[in-house]
Amino acid sequence: MPDMIGAYNVRRKRAPKSYPEKTLGWLVDWFTTDYPGFAKLADATQKQYKDAYDYLEREFDTPLDVITQPDLYDVRDKCATDKWPRFADKMMTALSSMFKQAVKRRKMASNPALGIERIHKYDPNSNREWRPEEWETVFDLAPLHFRILMMLARHAGYRGQTLVKLQWKNYQPDQRFGKCFRITAKKNDEQTWIPATAELQAFLDKLTRTSLHIATRKDGSPWKHEKQMQTAFSNWLKPI
């Protein structure tokens, strides 16, 4: 039956493959499985790296000692066409991080991804601070679940990967400021402390808690991942 054959082929495609030592596939397997630092990366970063390595799977038989920087520029340019420029840049970051550890731990001669220029050109206005009138307009129009994201980002400076994980237990009493946020960073187990502004406290303290997480979707459930949250907010924001 077609469904059964399809399920069989999916399992067969995902079956682990062993690559010869000192090849790109061998190194990816070591880095994502045995290198202890990989598990300490944020979940979003781990996914970003794995997506990049998945794109490179057809190159996994390549010996490490023949990979040159000109080769990587060709791969970057092709990736930018196959996917998009920012994905290509993130792929180079994933490779550079892996090669850096390979130089230290797997006797790789050098890091050919080091210093590769970005292909994506950033819009200088894309990350500028909103003007007061822009903030007021968007905030007035935004539904509550987006207002929560906006307030946490503006007053605590949290980015998407933190917003999706931030819980009410992280919102704690503070002797000096009344309330603060305490979070333990995954990659180094260090606790970060950020005071909550009076405006943010007034906003959060009025919320009805529908989840262990502070930022939730329209139905009161937590966001599944950062990309889901960013896409939902971006799609809502476009017509404004």
Side-chain angles (χ1 to χ4, degrees):
M1 297 294 289
D3 290 346
M4 181 184 72
I5 294 173
Y8 169 77
N9 285 334
V10 167
R11 288 196 297 272
R12 184 174 62 177
K13 182 179 179 182
R14 292 178 180 174
K17 179 180 178 181
S18 177
Y19 291 93
E21 190 172 342
K22 303 299 183 181
T23 61
L24 182 61
W26 167 84
L27 184 61
V28 168
D29 183 62
W30 167 79
F31 185 70
T32 57
T33 305
D34 297 326
Y35 169 56
F38 187 81
K40 295 182 179 180
L41 297 173
D43 292 343
T45 303
Q46 290 186 35
K47 184 180 184 304
Q48 174 184 310
Y49 282 16
K50 287 179 178 179
D51 288 346
Y53 302 143
D54 285 346
Y55 172 82
L56 292 165
E57 187 173 2
R58 62 181 177 271
E59 310 289 345
F60 276 8
D61 289 314
T62 305
L64 294 174
D65 59 5
V66 303
I67 299 175
T68 66
Q69 191 162 96
D71 293 332
L72 293 182
Y73 270 107
D74 289 341
V75 172
R76 183 207 67 174
D77 294 346
K78 186 176 187 307
C79 180
T81 301
D82 293 344
K83 296 282 193 176
W84 53 89
R86 287 190 67 184
F87 184 94
D89 288 338
K90 290 179 179 180
M91 181 185 68
M92 287 296 108
T93 299
L95 280 176
S96 186
S97 297
M98 180 175 67
F99 290 157
K100 178 181 178 180
Q101 296 305 322
V103 171
K104 294 179 178 180
R105 299 166 178 256
R106 286 298 177 267
K107 298 182 180 180
M108 190 172 180
S110 62
N111 179 355
L114 187 65
I116 286 186
E117 298 173 358
R118 293 182 176 274
I119 192 171
H120 173 70
K121 304 302 181 184
Y122 286 94
D123 180 354
N125 291 319
S126 62
N127 290 319
R128 67 170 175 81
E129 183 179 5
W130 286 358
R131 294 188 293 272
E133 63 272 19
E134 292 174 327
W135 168 268
E136 291 175 6
T137 299
V138 175
F139 193 79
D140 287 344
L141 294 173
L144 179 60
H145 61 296
F146 288 148
R147 289 188 181 190
I148 294 173
L149 297 177
M150 292 171 64
M151 289 293 290
L152 290 170
R154 185 178 182 87
H155 291 275
Y158 286 134
R159 302 175 66 179
Q161 63 185 35
T162 302
L163 290 176
V164 296
K165 294 181 178 181
L166 193 65
Q167 296 190 352
W168 286 107
K169 68 179 182 181
N170 302 124
Y171 181 52
Q172 302 176 3
D174 183 84
Q175 188 173 2
R176 289 181 58 196
F177 296 94
K179 290 287 185 67
C180 70
F181 295 96
R182 291 187 175 89
I183 301 176
T184 301
K186 182 176 180 180
K187 66 179 180 179
N188 54 19
D189 291 328
E190 291 185 358
Q191 189 177 81
T192 61
W193 169 88
I194 294 179
T197 64
E199 187 175 354
L200 181 57
Q201 290 182 50
F203 175 81
L204 292 178
D205 292 344
K206 292 179 181 178
L207 295 179
T208 299
R209 302 186 183 189
T210 61
S211 167
L212 295 177
H213 292 74
I214 300 178
T216 59
R217 296 184 292 175
K218 185 178 181 179
D219 63 2
S221 63
W223 297 98
K224 294 181 178 179
H225 46 73
E226 178 185 5
K227 187 66 174 178
Q228 180 194 50
M229 179 195 69
Q230 291 176 335
T231 300
F233 185 71
S234 297
N235 288 341
W236 173 80
L237 190 61
K238 283 179 183 177
I240 297 180

